[in-house]
């Protein structure tokens, strides 16, 4: 897929050559970040896909997922701390869901820490609903994971 441009953002698919840049952003955004080596290894799996938003040539947000025949499992979504609350996260997730619809994807799933209010608000603003809890899922803090699901048919194209 070629890059798409709108409102100063460029939406594009990342590949193995982008591992260092995405790992650097990951490090700014997560307490237990994936390393460049982990991204490199993940990119070798066919089902692993990463999409990003660039502004002024810099990666400002990315979303990593497993993409199977009819499902997306969203692994990570993050926006550079200096670029937050400007709509990048919403734009990236909406673009992903729109592309997913076009590819015939039925459902998207993700897990989020119970205390991660910014991310939970983002998902609930889109088409995601909580479907379960994984108790003490996160090893670092023992926190629960909330499991969210989106039926892509419920996602309206006006959000794209
Ligand atoms: C599956 C997983 O990856 S779970 C982990 C999610 N990622 C992280 O926790 C990494 C650290 N956090 C981040 O990178 C960002 O805060 C993200 C990705 C959650 C949100 O990215 P942003 O680009 O700031 O989101 P965006 O500006 O599009 O905001 C979308 C909505 O999210 C919610 N939101 C975003 N930030 C906040 C906040 N600080 N407090 C409350 N709600 C928030 C709001 O509902 C917001 O909509 P609004 O601005 O109309 O009120």
């Amino acid at each position: 897929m070629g890059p798409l441009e709108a409102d100063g953002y460029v939406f594009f698919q990342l590949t193995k050559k982008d591992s260092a840049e995405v790992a650097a952003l990951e490090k700014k955004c997560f307490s237990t970040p994936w390393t460049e080596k982990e991204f490199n290894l993940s990119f070798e799996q066919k089902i692993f896909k990463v999409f990003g938003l660039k502004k002024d040539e810099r990666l400002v947000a990315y979303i990593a997922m497993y993409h199977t025949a009819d499902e997306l499992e969203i692994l990570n979504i993050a926006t550079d701390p200096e670029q937050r609350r400007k709509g990048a996260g919403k734009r990236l997730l909406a673009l992903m869901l729109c592309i997913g619809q076009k590819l015939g994807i039925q459902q998207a799933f993700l897990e989020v820490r119970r205390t991660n209010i910014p991310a939970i608000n983002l998902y609930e603003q889109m088409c995601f609903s909580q479907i379960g809890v994984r108790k003490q899922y996160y090893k670092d803090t023992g926190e629960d994971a909330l499991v969210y699901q989106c039926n892509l048919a419920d996602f309206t194209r006006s959000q794209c």
Side-chain angles (χ1 to χ4, degrees):
M1 197 196 74
L4 301 171
E5 288 193 50
D7 302 332
Y9 286 107
V10 179
F11 173 78
F12 71 112
Q13 184 167 3
L14 284 79
T15 62
K16 200 171 176 180
K17 69 176 171 30
D18 302 304
S19 289
E21 191 175 14
V22 71
L25 181 50
E26 166 98 0
K27 199 171 169 187
K28 287 169 89 175
C29 297
F30 289 100
S31 53
T32 52
W34 291 5
T35 60
E36 180 180 346
K37 192 174 166 193
E38 285 168 319
F39 274 103
N40 266 326
L41 286 172
S42 295
F43 274 118
E44 280 168 18
Q45 302 174 68
K46 258 193 167 168
I47 61 168
F48 182 75
K49 301 274 160 50
V50 184
F51 292 84
L53 283 182
K54 271 194 176 178
K55 199 164 198 179
D56 303 326
E57 302 292 313
R58 287 188 52 207
L59 184 66
V60 297
Y62 70 93
I63 184 166
M65 71 199 74
Y66 287 135
H67 170 191
T68 57
D70 59 356
E71 282 183 10
L72 297 180
E73 184 185 346
I74 296 172
L75 305 168
N76 274 355
I77 179 167
T79 301
D80 188 316
E82 290 156 31
Q83 299 292 330
R84 287 190 189 156
R85 221 61 205 267
K86 294 180 182 172
K90 206 187 309 189
R91 182 180 295 261
L92 193 52
L93 192 53
L95 279 162
M96 265 344 298
L97 297 174
C98 289
I99 291 170
Q101 278 181 337
K102 286 181 192 143
L103 295 173
I105 303 288
Q106 312 278 315
Q107 301 188 86
F109 296 92
L110 57 83
E111 283 138 10
V112 59
R113 289 175 194 258
R114 190 187 278 285
T115 57
N116 192 345
I117 302 302
I120 289 170
N121 286 350
L122 168 64
Y123 305 141
E124 292 189 350
Q125 233 188 59
M126 312 297 281
C127 63
F128 284 85
S129 308
Q130 193 193 322
I131 56 161
V133 178
R134 297 207 164 115
K135 289 278 179 198
Q136 299 174 8
Y137 180 78
Y138 295 100
K139 289 191 193 99
D140 57 344
T141 58
E143 201 175 333
D144 296 345
L146 305 184
V147 184
Y148 274 80
Q149 180 210 22
C150 166
N151 288 316
L152 268 68
D154 298 340
F155 183 70
T156 54
R157 286 187 184 273
S158 62
Q159 291 174 271
C160 294

